[in-house]
């Protein structure tokens, strides 16, 4: 315990020193050099969580679309075939790279809290957190961002009209598809919740039961909603018929959305976070994601060590300690940049990382501080990530979510739209963990119109000879999966190796290291345990979809996480 206190005092002292140094010379985070694409690959690669979606993206490329049109097609198709993970009732975050001028942009299509949000709704009468309103039904749903985000991408970055890029999704919804095992299992797992709302029952439990293997399943209501978006853009969802149906359904079931909440929703373009590490530039997600800040902070800390010269246990020790410090800051500082002032210059500064590095002991774990212990539950891998490189070298890294499995379980009658349960990503009750065991502060308190903090970390890693587009679902583990994927890519691994690589995860609290079977050999496990780490084995997690481009050989690779057989990475 005394070590924890000493460390905390030391870290606080260093934090003040770093802050002072920055205030004195006003130096921003270090300017990164990066590399521009030198030539186009001439062919394309897509990796996503579902073969229908990968094929839809390739179909749109074949129509003359670019990576951004393909991203619209993949996301909309996932809304039909992988509704347990993402959809037009949810939101996404994306990092795009435009080859023609090297422009990198972050698309923030994150949900917002409705104006009438009331923190009391998420408390039981005795003041304890009400996990049901936070995770189920209309009160758990934020105003969807995905439709606006797709319209923005198509208009500003795509080549094709939405009618073309949404066509494959609409066709699949109209003609039908076979729900795969993951979807059937997700519906069976959420059956009790889905049964609470008639439109959810009608859509997901035809005949009162989850769909059986081999049935063909159609989604005409969602097809119609997508057609309205295809014809009218934002107007097709946030105004008129769809908006009226959404608000009527939400309010009839005890929610508080208004037409004004929908009409005022905007997807936003933001400047991505960039960080340089071992000759690579990583372009990743800024707030309202915590992912990019954490990844940058971790890489800045690690850049003070030569990990390649260390044995597995020592290398892992430094990576875990960097994770611990980044997650501590995540809990304390981060939220929606339109609502909270965050010390990003400090968090992203190499001087701040220097200070944190000084607080890491070479031979043992630093116990996490004395914040209340947060118990994470297993995140179902129900969020989705896809990665695209097109023939011109345009790239899209997109992570999309309805939050927990099947989102709120609430379908808005007549729209086919399954609403998210993203409100739980706010710190609804201060210092009480959300479903991923994450604690939050005032920075992430719910306020009308505010975006809830996310861990989604779509990223593009650009090196002189090699580039990767990478991301994964997994709640708080997204950040550590993407970080480990970036390190493995920089170590020279292929797309397939990166997606398959065994994982570990640490998030400050709980003060344990989650380990996938086989990630450490007996000697490394023993050494880490002796350093003071509590290793806790956990079922395999993640659903990474990654594409890579080797510019020297002009080879593209696409790989989907072997842990989840429904995915497909394909080069065309
Ligand atoms: O935005 C976030 O961080 C969460 N809503 C992501 C949820 C997730 O990854 C669930 N799947 N495992």
């Amino acid at each position: 315990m005394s070590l924890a206190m000493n460390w905390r005092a030391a870290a606080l002292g260093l934090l003040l020193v770093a802050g002072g140094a920055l205030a004195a010379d006003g130096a921003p985070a270090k300017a990164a050099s990066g590399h521009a694409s030198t030539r186009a690959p001439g062919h394309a690669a897509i990796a996503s969580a579902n073969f229908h979606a990968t094929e839809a993206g390739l179909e749109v490329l074949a129509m003359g679309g670019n990576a951004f049109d393909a991203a619209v097609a993949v996301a909309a198709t996932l809304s039909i075939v992988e509704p347990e993970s993402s959809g037009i009732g949810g939101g996404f975050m994306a990092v795009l790279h435009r080859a023609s001028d090297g422009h990198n942009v972050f698309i923030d299509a994150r949900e917002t809290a409705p104006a009438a949000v009331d923190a009391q709704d998420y408390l039981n009468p005795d003041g304890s957190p009400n996990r049901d309103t936070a995770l189920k039904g209309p009160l758990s749903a934020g105003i969807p961002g995905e439709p606006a985000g797709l319209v923005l991408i198509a208009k500003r970055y795509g080549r094709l009209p939405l009618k073309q890029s949404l066509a494959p999704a609409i066709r699949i919804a109209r003609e039908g598809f076979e729900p795969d095992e993951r979807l059937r299992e997700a519906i069976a797992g959420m059956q009790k919740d889905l049964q609470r709302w008639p439109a959810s029952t009608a859509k997901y439990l035809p005949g009162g039961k989850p769909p059986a293997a081999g049935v063909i399943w159609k989604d005409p209501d969602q097809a119609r909603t997508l057609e309205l978006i295809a014809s009218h853009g934002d107007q097709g969802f946030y105004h008129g018929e769809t908006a009226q149906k959404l608000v009527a359904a939400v309010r009839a079931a005890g929610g508080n959305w208004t037409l004004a909440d929908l009409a005022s929703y905007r997807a936003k373009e933001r400047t991505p976070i960039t960080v340089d590490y071992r000759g690579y530039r990583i372009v990743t997600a800024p707030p309202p994601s915590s992912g990019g800040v954490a990844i940058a902070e971790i890489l800045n800390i690690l850049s003070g060590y030569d990990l390649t010269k260390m044995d597995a246990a020592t290398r892992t020790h430094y990576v875990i300690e960097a994770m611990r410090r980044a997650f501590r800051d995540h809990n304390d500082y981060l939220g929606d940049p339109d609502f909270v002032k965050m010390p990003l210059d400090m968090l992203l500064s190499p001087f701040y990382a220097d200070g944190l590095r000084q607080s890491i002991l070479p031979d043992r774990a630093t116990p996490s501080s004395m914040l209340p212990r947060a118990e994470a539950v297993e995140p179902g891998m129900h969020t989705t990530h896809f990665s695209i490189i097109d023939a011109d070298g345009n790239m899209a890294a997109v992570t999309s979510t309805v939050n927990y499995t099947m989102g709120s379980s609430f379908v808005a009658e007549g729209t086919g739209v399954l609403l998210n349960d993203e409100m739980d990503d706010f710190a609804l009750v201060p210092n009480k963990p959300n479903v991923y065991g994450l604690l939050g502060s005032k920075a992430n308190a719910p306020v009308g119109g505010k975006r809830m903090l996310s861990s989604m970390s779509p990223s593009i890693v650009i090196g002189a000879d090699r580039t990767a587009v990478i991301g994964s679902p997994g709640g708080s583990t997204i950040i550590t999966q993407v970080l480990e994927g970036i390190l493995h890519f920089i170590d020279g691994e292929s797309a397939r190796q990166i997606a398959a690589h065994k994982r570990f995860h640490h998030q400050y609290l709980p003060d344990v290291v989650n380990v996938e079977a086989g990630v450490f050999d007996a000697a490394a496990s023993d050494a880490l345990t002796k350093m003071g780490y509590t290793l806790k084995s956990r079922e395999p997690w993640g659903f990474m979809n990654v594409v890579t481009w080797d510019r020297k050989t002009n080879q593209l690779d696409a790989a989907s996480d072997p842990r989840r057989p429904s995915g497909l990475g394909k080069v065309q």
Side-chain angles (χ1 to χ4, degrees):
M1 211 41 97
S2 69
L3 178 59
M5 291 186 67
N6 289 343
W7 170 72
R8 211 168 158 71
L12 271 174
L14 290 161
L15 191 146
L16 292 174
V17 171
L22 274 180
D25 64 14
K30 80 172 163 185
S33 52
H35 309 275
S37 314
T38 44
R39 58 180 164 148
H43 52 319
I46 300 181
S48 89
N50 187 287
F51 76 94
H52 288 292
T54 298
E55 298 290 2
L58 294 171
E59 180 182 332
V60 161
L61 291 176
M63 288 177 198
N66 61 16
F68 314 124
D69 299 304
V72 171
V74 173
T77 303
L78 290 171
S79 185
I80 305 294
V81 300
E82 201 203 18
E84 71 273 27
S85 299
S86 75
I88 57 172
F92 71 85
M93 293 180 163
V95 173
L96 309 183
H97 170 84
R98 186 168 57 202
S100 58
D101 59 357
H103 178 61
N104 294 320
V105 66
F106 177 70
I107 308 297
D108 171 355
R110 183 69 163 163
E111 299 90 329
T112 54
V117 62
D118 182 351
Q120 293 300 318
D121 285 336
Y122 305 98
L123 293 178
N124 292 314
D126 66 359
S128 61
N130 182 334
R131 306 302 298 145
D132 190 59
T133 50
L135 286 165
K136 301 291 163 199
L139 282 171
S140 70
I143 305 300
E146 176 141 332
L150 297 182
V151 172
L152 185 157
I153 290 179
K155 271 198 187 148
R156 296 200 196 154
Y157 295 95
R159 277 191 209 133
L160 299 180
L162 279 165
K163 279 203 170 144
Q164 273 182 280
S165 50
L166 293 178
I170 294 169
R171 185 187 66 233
I172 293 167
R174 289 244 174 253
E175 291 178 1
F177 67 100
E178 268 183 44
D180 64 15
E181 195 182 350
R182 269 182 89 228
L183 174 52
R184 286 185 274 113
E185 279 178 2
I187 293 172
M190 293 295 147
Q191 181 162 355
K192 278 210 181 94
D193 291 306
L194 292 164
Q195 275 165 347
R196 292 162 66 181
W197 294 286
S200 310
T201 311
K203 178 165 182 182
Y204 293 111
L205 300 163
K209 285 196 303 250
V215 299
I216 298 292
W217 207 31
K218 298 184 181 173
D219 194 347
D221 286 349
Q222 194 172 187
R224 160 112 185 116
T225 301
L226 285 172
E227 281 161 358
L228 289 170
I229 298 170
S231 302
H232 307 292
D234 283 334
Q235 295 285 327
F237 188 88
Y238 295 92
H239 299 262
E241 176 188 327
T242 311
Q244 277 155 13
K245 284 183 184 165
L246 288 169
V247 169
V250 161
R251 297 188 77 88
N256 54 16
W257 291 13
T258 63
L259 287 172
D261 286 324
L262 286 163
S264 60
Y265 183 85
R266 297 284 177 276
K268 297 197 173 178
E269 290 188 72
R270 301 187 191 274
T271 305
I273 285 179
T274 52
V275 56
D276 280 0
Y277 181 74
R278 283 177 57 197
Y280 286 79
R281 168 169 283 188
I282 293 94
V283 186
T284 183
S289 173
S290 58
V293 176
I295 287 169
E297 200 175 320
I298 293 168
L299 291 175
N300 281 339
I301 293 172
L302 296 180
S303 65
Y305 306 106
D306 188 350
L307 298 183
T308 60
K309 297 219 163 68
M310 295 174 181
D311 61 57
T314 311
R315 174 185 163 120
T316 306
H317 162 62
Y318 285 118
V319 175
I320 297 170
E321 291 306 317
M323 289 173 175
R324 186 193 308 278
R325 284 150 181 80
F327 271 97
R328 180 200 64 150
D329 290 341
H330 166 306
N331 290 342
D332 284 350
Y333 296 121
L334 301 182
D336 180 346
D338 297 338
F339 282 74
V340 286
K341 237 174 113 53
M342 289 169 284
L344 287 189
D345 279 355
M346 179 193 81
L347 295 175
L348 299 174
S349 158
F351 301 118
Y352 178 61
D354 288 346
L356 294 176
R357 201 180 309 113
Q358 300 288 328
S359 70
I360 300 176
L361 302 172
D363 58 348
R364 65 189 146 134
T366 313
S368 292
S369 78
M370 291 164 290
L371 284 172
R373 192 181 157 83
E375 286 292 350
V377 300
E378 290 294 319
M381 292 306 125
H382 294 116
T383 283
T384 198
H385 174 86
F386 58 90
S387 297
I388 304 179
I389 297 182
D390 72 14
D392 295 324
N394 296 306
M395 298 175 225
V398 185
T399 312
S400 182
T401 188
V402 287
N403 197 25
Y404 211 65
T405 311
M406 304 298 296
S408 63
S409 294
F410 180 80
V411 171
E413 174 105 46
T415 65
V417 179
L418 174 65
L419 300 184
N420 67 84
D421 60 349
E422 222 75 61
M423 293 299 284
D424 187 60
D425 277 353
F426 277 119
L428 290 173
V429 183
N431 279 328
K432 293 289 181 196
N434 76 356
V435 74
Y436 307 110
L438 292 171
L439 296 169
S441 67
K442 268 199 193 136
N444 190 30
V447 175
K450 187 176 173 186
R451 285 155 150 86
M452 56 296 281
L453 193 62
S454 174
S455 301
M456 291 190 285
S457 311
S459 299
I460 299 178
V461 188
I462 305 173
D465 297 327
R466 297 169 69 236
T467 292
V469 184
I470 188 168
S472 184
S476 53
T477 72
I478 293 173
I479 297 172
T480 54
Q481 287 183 62
V482 173
L483 182 262
E484 288 163 39
I486 291 169
L487 294 175
H488 299 142
F489 173 69
I490 292 175
D491 283 344
E493 288 192 6
S494 67
R496 200 167 307 279
Q497 288 171 317
I498 295 165
H501 207 113
K502 301 288 184 190
R503 299 172 178 142
F504 63 93
H505 170 75
H506 173 74
Q507 60 177 45
Y508 177 58
L509 286 176
D511 194 352
V512 297
V513 181
N514 293 128
V515 291
E516 186 177 2
V519 63
F520 305 131
D521 63 17
S525 298
D526 197 43
L528 287 165
T529 306
K530 285 204 178 99
M531 283 183 215
Y533 293 104
T534 304
L535 305 184
K536 193 171 168 197
S537 64
R538 177 169 166 176
E539 289 295 302
W541 63 92
F543 194 162
M544 185 169 277
N545 285 298
V546 53
V547 299
T548 57
W549 174 20
D550 186 324
R551 286 200 195 79
K552 274 199 172 148
T553 57
N554 201 30
Q555 185 178 335
L556 290 180
D557 263 320
S560 187
D561 202 314
R563 294 163 186 81
R564 322 277 160 198
S566 64
L568 175 64
K570 195 166 165 183
V571 178
Q572 164 169 295

